[in-house]
Amino acid sequence: GSILEPEERSMEPPALLEEETPLTAASSPAGCQLFGYVGIEAVLDQMKIKTMKTGFEFNIMVVGQSGLGKSTMVNTLFKSKVSRKASQPGQEERIPKTVQLHSITHVIEEKGVKMKLTVTDTPGFGDQINNENCWDPIIKYINEQYERYLREEILITRKRKIPDTRVHGCVYFVPPTGHWLRPLDLEFMRRLSKIVNVVPVIAKADTLTLEERAEFKQRIQEDLKTHAISVYPQEDFDQDPDDRVLNDRIREKIPFAVVGADQEHQVNGKRVLGRKTKWGIIEVENPSHCEFPLLRDLLIRSHLQDLKDITHNVHYESYRVRRLNESNRPALST
């Protein structure tokens, strides 16, 4: 019989055959070249169909003094009566004694896409002689929405789709004074920018000349930089180079000088949204008249999903970590 001698084993792993070499991103920087149609791009159609069936949610808050056109601006943004103007109460009831929050929810549909829109107004903000801590009800409301989402998320048997009532964007209306930001404006944006996406705008910009408007915007930008207030879009969250270039252009324009109007007028044979004055019609959607188109593009057309992503991944995540740490402290101490 033959003697079976043990094989000599090398400590080095056997080399893979050329046919068995796995394709990785490192081996093919430009991606793997396909030899035929696979159908990967169909996932975009699947996502589109699913979104059109289920719809999505978007929650916006408007903050500012009475008479700055907050309700009109929201109606202009979505071209519908989504925000109700305050009725004309008696003289003694005109200014609320404390800051109140009113939320209105509508379902808007455009070309088969449904959006559940919630608009939260803050009547009474900044209308008192003593406005100390007038931002506390707003901060409390924002944190309550985070807490509601957190409670649903930590359930053992949670819903497939958790209702999202978190505030995705806060539009702050700065009065068109033409001077510097008031201490109230600075303190509000300093506190709120840490928990929500704050977008400052100059309300009723048609009361300023173009020179006054440009100077006022420059002063506001200097104030924000001096007090280290980071408004949306924040530089710290720019990851893609293309996004950084786009957001840099937006940051140069912030705060947007806007004019709101929910009435149409006839201009050169066309129906346009605008405000009629003795000198003519101020067209809301005309970039040479105001910067409302920039605000609309930021909130709806280009950065709506980014507002939701930052709300979930940054602001809500910070709240979630803080709350979980607070709940674990008693257990660690015992």
Side-chain angles (χ1 to χ4, degrees), residues 150 317-332:
L150 178 61
E317 193 66 23
S318 299
Y319 179 84
R320 174 180 170 275
V321 171
R322 186 174 72 251
R323 287 287 291 115
L324 293 179
N325 286 334
E326 291 175 357
S327 61
N328 290 333
R329 278 173 192 167
L332 292 176

Side-chain angles (χ1 to χ4, degrees), residues 56-60 115-118 168 299 304 307-308:
F56 60 97
E57 298 155 321
F58 185 60
N59 309 316
I60 187 172
M115 180 176 71
K116 185 180 179 182
L117 173 68
T118 300
H168 301 126
L299 294 178
L304 188 148
L307 284 164
K308 299 183 66 174

Side-chain angles (χ1 to χ4, degrees), residues 39-59:
I40 301 175
E41 63 177 3
V43 69
L44 298 177
D45 297 332
Q46 298 172 30
M47 295 171 63
K48 180 179 178 181
I49 294 173
K50 186 175 181 179
T51 303
M52 292 180 67
K53 287 182 178 180
T54 60
F56 60 97
E57 298 155 321
F58 185 60
N59 309 316

Side-chain angles (χ1 to χ4, degrees), residues 17-192:
L17 297 179
E18 186 177 356
E19 292 79 10
E20 297 177 354
T21 303
L23 290 173
T24 61
S27 63
S28 180
C32 179
Q33 183 67 33
L34 302 178
F35 297 104
Y37 179 74
V38 177
I40 301 175
E41 63 177 3
V43 69
L44 298 177
D45 297 332
Q46 298 172 30
M47 295 171 63
K48 180 179 178 181
I49 294 173
K50 186 175 181 179
T51 303
M52 292 180 67
K53 287 182 178 180
T54 60
F56 60 97
E57 298 155 321
F58 185 60
N59 309 316
I60 187 172
M61 174 183 285
V62 289
V63 181
Q65 286 182 327
S66 301
L68 293 181
K70 299 187 296 296
S71 300
T72 303
M73 178 58 60
V74 174
N75 293 337
T76 310
L77 274 173
F78 300 98
K79 294 187 177 180
S80 58
K81 302 291 184 179
V82 296
S83 183
R84 301 169 189 158
K85 293 184 179 181
S87 58
Q88 297 295 330
Q91 184 69 26
E92 65 280 357
E93 301 175 357
R94 186 158 298 179
I95 300 178
K97 294 182 180 180
T98 58
V99 178
Q100 304 170 358
L101 284 88
H102 297 160
S103 296
I104 302 175
T105 301
H106 297 273
V107 177
I108 303 176
E109 184 173 354
E110 183 180 31
K111 295 184 178 180
V113 180
K114 294 181 180 180
M115 180 176 71
K116 185 180 179 182
L117 173 68
T118 300
V119 179
T120 304
D121 196 0
T122 56
F125 176 84
D127 293 337
Q128 309 299 322
I129 297 177
N130 183 7
N131 292 304
E132 185 178 3
N133 298 329
C134 62
W135 47 78
D136 284 348
I138 300 173
I139 295 177
K140 180 181 177 182
Y141 175 83
I142 294 174
N143 287 332
E144 284 176 351
Q145 309 315 309
Y146 289 151
E147 182 68 22
R148 181 181 299 181
Y149 193 91
L150 178 61
R151 289 178 180 176
E152 291 285 344
E153 193 178 44
I154 63 178
L155 291 176
I156 297 177
T157 56
R158 58 185 180 184
K159 302 176 183 177
R160 281 187 70 183
K161 190 175 187 302
I162 301 176
D164 190 2
T165 59
R166 299 169 296 180
V167 178
H168 301 126
C170 175
V171 182
Y172 185 74
F173 288 71
V174 178
T177 59
H179 305 294
W180 300 88
L181 285 175
R182 304 169 301 170
L184 174 64
D185 304 326
L186 290 171
E187 191 64 21
F188 175 86
M189 286 189 281
R190 185 184 70 83
R191 291 173 180 266
L192 268 293

